[in-house]
Amino acid sequence: MDFGVVLQTNPPASRTVDLARQAETHGFDYVWTFDSHLLWQEPFVIYSAILAATRKIMVGPMVTNPATRDWTVLASLFATLNEMYGNRTVCGIGRGDSAVRTLNGRPSNLATLRESIHVIRELANDREVTVNDRTLRFPWSKGSALEVWVAAYGPLALKLTGEVGDGFILQLADPDIAAWMIRAVRDAAEKAGRDPDTVKFCVAAPMYVGNGESPAERAHMREQCRWFGGMVGNHVADIVTKYGDGSTVPKALTAYIEGRQGYDYNQHGRAGNTHADFVPDEIVERFCLLGSPREHVEKLQALRELGVTQFAGYLQHDNKEETLRAYGERVIPAMAENVVATA
């Protein structure tokens, strides 16, 4: 299993670069960032600094979208970074959430998402593609390679992911829900004539390492990560609106949003988000990784058995350095030892 860290590009940018350096030092393989240009600093500028300050780590957005980003510009950004630093970029993409809604816009439809994936991947892999009845190719790009990973929740988005995605990004860490969604992506890949084993599966969720021995400490960890249930709730609300409560989406995913009354994107992805009060403790525990290193390893083992190939931990809380250190010293080595022992 690979490990990633998900950062917000809050100023100063040097802080984001430093956390990325720490992540690589502690054995992480990927650094992902949010991509909402109104809420945070421009990630692609910071990617260049991260890549210059590290040696091996992969970088990319979790996630960009085809509405606020021109597809050909995105492809050029990735191909340029690949030329400068080697093929060390990855594109996470979805229909659009905070980047779109802060502009009072709407997420892209799935047909647009599908087309954008094709255009970005072809151009960023040095291949020709047709856009607006014109055949395009970067004449300056040689040897660029880019995977496009799709973030999805609903049935049709999961189907699209299985059909065209190099990877699947699931932004929650509940094993029961993950099992249902991974199966849906695998089934779609197989029906499309693809080998399901070639699709990578990334589970992304807040990771907070602490002893969790006292009720007060456990409650603090939950409060620091409750924002995540509110963020996921935005996508779930869209699913319920489109498919109704009787859809095939697991009830564990849809039931908790019944108390949702609104959302302020100015507090998006932030600890202490006042619009996440509706998220119950049970959902925070199910969606996130909290507690001792042993608890993290146990949940990660369960996810790996489902086919998850990467865990990407959000660090939007007050225990960033300690969590990175605990993963580097305890969690990542334990997961590697489990692989060796199993073999």
Side-chain angles (χ1 to χ4, degrees), residues 220-232:
H220 176 75
M221 286 190 282
R222 286 196 296 265
E223 286 307 313
Q224 286 288 300
C225 298
R226 198 176 303 276
W227 63 267
F228 184 69
M231 185 183 82
V232 173

Side-chain angles (χ1 to χ4, degrees), residues 51 76 105:
L51 290 166
S76 180

Side-chain angles (χ1 to χ4, degrees), residues 85-289:
Y85 301 105
N87 289 320
R88 293 171 57 198
T89 64
V90 59
C91 177
I93 193 168
R95 295 174 57 226
D97 183 35
S98 59
V100 178
R101 298 185 197 272
T102 51
L103 293 169
N104 201 28
R106 295 173 60 87
S108 303
N109 60 40
L110 292 178
T112 298
L113 178 60
R114 182 188 296 269
E115 185 179 0
S116 70
I117 291 168
H118 175 67
V119 170
I120 293 166
R121 181 161 48 207
E122 294 306 293
L123 285 175
N125 283 280
D126 297 344
R127 296 191 290 262
E128 290 184 350
V129 69
T130 300
V131 180
N132 296 330
D133 297 323
R134 298 199 65 176
T135 300
L136 307 177
R137 185 171 188 168
F138 296 142
W140 47 265
S141 181
K142 307 295 180 185
S144 175
L146 179 76
E147 292 184 347
V148 182
W149 296 25
V150 186
Y153 289 102
L156 292 180
L158 293 170
K159 179 175 179 290
L160 179 149
T161 302
E163 291 170 347
V164 303
D166 296 307
F168 167 45
I169 296 172
L170 171 58
Q171 290 164 305
L172 57 85
D174 180 88
D176 293 335
I177 297 172
W180 178 82
M181 292 191 172
I182 289 172
R183 184 168 58 251
V185 172
R186 285 186 179 278
D187 289 346
E190 189 170 10
K191 290 178 181 177
R194 304 180 66 197
D195 179 357
D197 292 335
T198 63
V199 182
K200 299 176 181 179
F201 293 94
C202 173
V203 160
M207 56 179 183
Y208 194 118
V209 176
N211 291 327
E213 295 177 352
S214 71
E217 184 182 5
R218 194 78 183 195
H220 176 75
M221 286 190 282
R222 286 196 296 265
E223 286 307 313
Q224 286 288 300
C225 298
R226 198 176 303 276
W227 63 267
F228 184 69
M231 185 183 82
V232 173
N234 298 323
H235 302 286
V236 175
D238 287 343
I239 293 170
V240 172
T241 299
K242 183 176 180 64
Y243 298 101
D245 290 324
S247 71
T248 59
V249 179
K251 192 68 174 176
L253 180 59
T254 61
Y256 82 97
I257 67 163
E258 293 174 357
R260 181 179 183 269
Q261 296 181 350
Y263 192 81
D264 181 0
Y265 275 90
N266 290 314
Q267 301 182 44
H268 187 62
R270 299 186 186 277
N273 185 329
T274 59
H275 291 74
D277 292 344
F278 70 94
V279 182
D281 289 350
E282 178 192 3
I283 288 296
V284 180
E285 293 278 356
R286 292 182 66 167
F287 284 14
C288 305
L289 275 74

